Each structure stands twice: as C-alpha cells, then as structure tokens.
Amino acid sequence: MKGPARVTVVGAGSWGTAIAGLLAGKGLPVCLWAREPEVVDAIRSSGDNAVFLPGVRLPPALEVTNDLREAVSGAGVIVSVSPAQHVRAVMEPIAAGLEADVQIISASKGIEIRSLERMDGVFRALLTPRQMETFTVISGPSFAAEVAAGAPTAVVVASASEEARLQAQALFQTDVFRVYTTPDVIGVELAGALKNVIALAAGVVAGLGFGHNTRAALMTRGLAEIARLGIRMGALRETFAGLAGMGDLVLTCTGELSRNRTVGYRLGRGESIQSILGEMHTVAEGVATVEAVVALAEREGVDMPIASEVHAILTQGRAPREAIRRLMMRDPKPEDWS
C-alpha cells in the first residue's frame, strides 16, 4: 500500500493517543488533534500524554495541535476517536473542507443518543456519498495502554468497500497489531457500542461480590442480547462470535483497565453514578450508550433485559441486587438468540 500523504487522528484520549503512536511508529506522517491545550503542551515538551496515557513515550515525529482545521488539512486518512456523543460536534465544522477522497476511519464505540445513529449514520450526515463509500470502522479487544506498550493485539476493520478494508488493514498492521477485515459495518459498530453496556453489568456483579458463575452467565447472555439486536438491524451473525463481538466483550467485562467495568463495580459497591462520574476525567461510553440501546431495543422490538436493568440502575435508582433478582426471575425460556 502506498502510504497516505497525511494521517490525522482526531481525539487525544488514551485510545486516540495509542493509535497515533502506533501509526507514527511505522514512520507514517501523523498529526494528533487534542482539544485540551495541556495535552498538546505535554506531548510537545515531554513526548508523553500525561493526562490520558501517562508513561508512554510517543514517537518524536508525531505532530500534535489544538487547531482542528490545520490538523485535517490535506489529510488522506482521518481516524475519528472522539467520544461517540461528541463526534458530530467535533467533525461538523470541518467536514465541508475535507479532501474529496479522504478515508474516514471511525474508532469511536457508541450510539448517538439524540439520533440513535451509529457512527456511520453520524458521518453519513456530514460526508459526501463519495467519501462514505470508503468509510471504515476499527474495533476489537484493544486496551489503549496495552497497544501502546506493544502487547500483541488483534482487531477488525469493517467497510462496505473491499479496497477501503484492505487499505485500513495495511495502514494499521504491524508485527504486534494484527488486523482482520469484514464487510459488516453494522455488526462491528453495534458490537463495539453494546459491549460497554454489558461491561457495566459485569462490574456490578463483581462489586456485589459474585464470582465466576455469575460473570460467565452475564457475558453469555449479554452476547445473546447484542447479537439479537444486531441481527435484527441487519448485521451478520458471525460478527458477534468474532473480535468485535465476543473478543471485545470478554476484554471489557474482565479487564481491570476497563472504564465501564470499573464504573459498574463501584455501582455494585453502593456508590452513586453522579459521584463516580464526578471523579473521572476519561469517558465510560456505556453510561451514555445504555440510554440509546434501550431506545433502539424498544424501536426494534427486541428484548434486552440486561441493558434494561443497567438503565434502571443508572436512571431510576434501582438497587443492583434487585436488578440481579429481576434478571434471575424472568420467565423460563429456551436458550437462543431470538
């Protein structure tokens, strides 16, 4: 693959910073846009994003700026890594000035609450049809700190365009970052968003002191919920058994680095969501996504009891133990994804 003239990573949180470091480490010309001036100052002065990814030395050639128009000017590839609820607001002011053949790669995991759109739907409202032809998503089990540390990692890229999939695969592939491809944009996006909701629930059961039995049951039935909604909305069933589905779900429900699991754990220990979020400077996407998931499930006529109970804990003050009891006492049924 011929390298792009410029790769811009929009969003300098932990994941955006890790992606920028990965690409710059391959010798590609990469510019990282950060909203926070202190992030730009820190990276320029010390080569370290001390705010969101401390202790990780970034390649010296990595550019960093607060000027978004400057960052995307002339970019052949733009990797969007803003929190899902902010993607539209970040990209809308500069969308009209993007290169006609720019490839947008979305690395955000979530569903926009006000529109119930996945990220491909958000970008469809901002980009030209030509630009949307190569729209691509990257997802999978990939904690930013471990990617930045060079831990072997596997992810998947999805696009309706085979050429775009192969270009994205070649862009990200390294000897420690393996990239698979799929045409299933819907499935990859929904899996990446919905697993955060199940991770909140996994944290809750851990915070309540339950063990491996409970967690295994929750993850298995959580995957069934994710697949049920995804298949109803046009996704491929096999996507949910892959990296974007089962892979990311296992990581986010069990890994100590999972922000969503951490929030759920603290909820299970009796803390309020307001106090938890008040102490966080990073985003736990599942907290916002659960509202959209419940609305989507209602719109599509899909039963998602775990998501519904997480929503009740967050918005109705339902006690976590009562939520577990309600799940266990549902009417008996066959085990399936229907």
Side-chain angles (χ1 to χ4, degrees):
M1 167 186 167
K2 182 181 179 181
R6 180 186 182 90
V7 180
T8 297
V9 178
V10 176
S14 58
W15 186 217
T17 302
I19 288 175
L22 174 77
L23 297 176
K26 294 182 66 174
L28 298 171
V30 180
C31 180
L32 174 63
W33 174 79
R35 178 178 59 84
E36 304 84 356
E38 61 270 26
V39 170
V40 173
D41 292 342
I43 294 175
R44 286 178 175 173
S45 62
S46 67
D48 182 328
N49 184 345
V51 178
F52 295 111
L53 197 63
V56 174
R57 193 76 177 173
L58 297 169
L62 174 65
E63 297 178 42
V64 60
T65 182
N66 280 129
D67 188 327
L68 183 54
R69 293 187 186 279
E70 173 189 309
V72 301
S73 177
V77 175
I78 296 175
V79 186
S80 172
V81 205
S82 299
Q85 305 308 320
H86 301 291
V87 167
R88 190 186 299 266
V90 169
M91 296 300 297
E92 192 168 31
I94 51 90
L98 300 179
E99 296 293 317
D101 58 352
V102 67
Q103 182 179 12
I104 301 293
I105 301 176
S106 174
S108 304
K109 298 176 180 179
I111 298 168
E112 190 179 60
I113 294 173
R114 65 186 179 92
S115 67
L116 302 186
E117 292 282 6
R118 304 180 305 271
M119 294 301 99
D120 61 316
V122 171
F123 275 103
R124 189 169 291 108
L126 304 177
L127 302 178
T128 66
R130 178 180 174 184
Q131 290 167 337
M132 279 304 299
E133 287 178 1
T134 59
F135 178 83
T136 305
V137 178
I138 183 169
S139 193
S142 49
F143 283 145
E146 294 190 6
V147 170
T153 300
V155 300
V156 62
V157 293
S159 177
S161 163
E162 182 180 15
E163 181 181 1
R165 296 194 297 268
L166 294 176
Q167 288 177 341
Q169 182 180 50
L171 177 70
F172 289 106
Q173 178 77 44
T174 76
D175 59 350
V176 293
F177 196 78
R178 183 167 176 80
V179 185
Y180 292 84
T181 66
T182 176
D184 187 13
V185 173
I186 296 173
V188 169
E189 290 222 86
L190 286 176
L194 273 58
K195 58 88 182 178
N196 286 327
V197 176
I198 306 304
L200 287 169
V204 168
V205 301
L208 288 170
F210 297 126
H212 299 294
N213 289 1
T214 313
R215 183 169 61 186
L218 177 79
M219 291 168 59
T220 305
R221 295 312 301 167
L223 183 61
E225 286 192 18
I226 294 170
R228 192 155 55 229
L229 180 62
I231 292 167
R232 177 67 62 88
M233 296 182 68
L236 300 176
R237 179 182 291 264
E238 54 265 33
T239 297
F240 303 102
L243 289 163
M246 183 179 70
D248 212 0
L249 183 69
V250 169
L251 180 80
T252 316
C253 287
T254 64
E256 298 296 329
L257 294 176
S258 168
R259 294 188 294 267
N260 291 284
R261 183 186 182 279
T262 298
V263 170
Y265 180 83
R266 294 177 65 177
L267 287 168
R269 300 288 289 178
E271 297 183 55
S272 71
I273 188 62
Q274 292 79 13
S275 65
I276 296 168
L277 297 183
E279 296 175 9
M280 297 179 67
H281 68 272
T282 55
V283 176
E285 289 277 19
V287 175
T289 298
V290 68
E291 182 177 341
V293 169
V294 169
L296 272 179
E298 182 177 358
R299 188 188 78 185
E300 300 293 329
V302 172
D303 188 26
M304 300 190 70
I306 297 173
S308 296
E309 292 299 326
V310 171
H311 185 255
I313 291 171
L314 292 175
T315 65
Q316 300 170 23
R318 181 166 294 162
R321 285 190 182 274
E322 172 61 13
I324 298 297
R325 189 195 70 80
R326 288 169 59 90
L327 287 170
M328 295 300 292
M329 293 304 295
R330 297 175 67 239
D331 290 340
K333 58 176 291 186
E335 184 184 30
D336 58 29
W337 285 2
S338 61

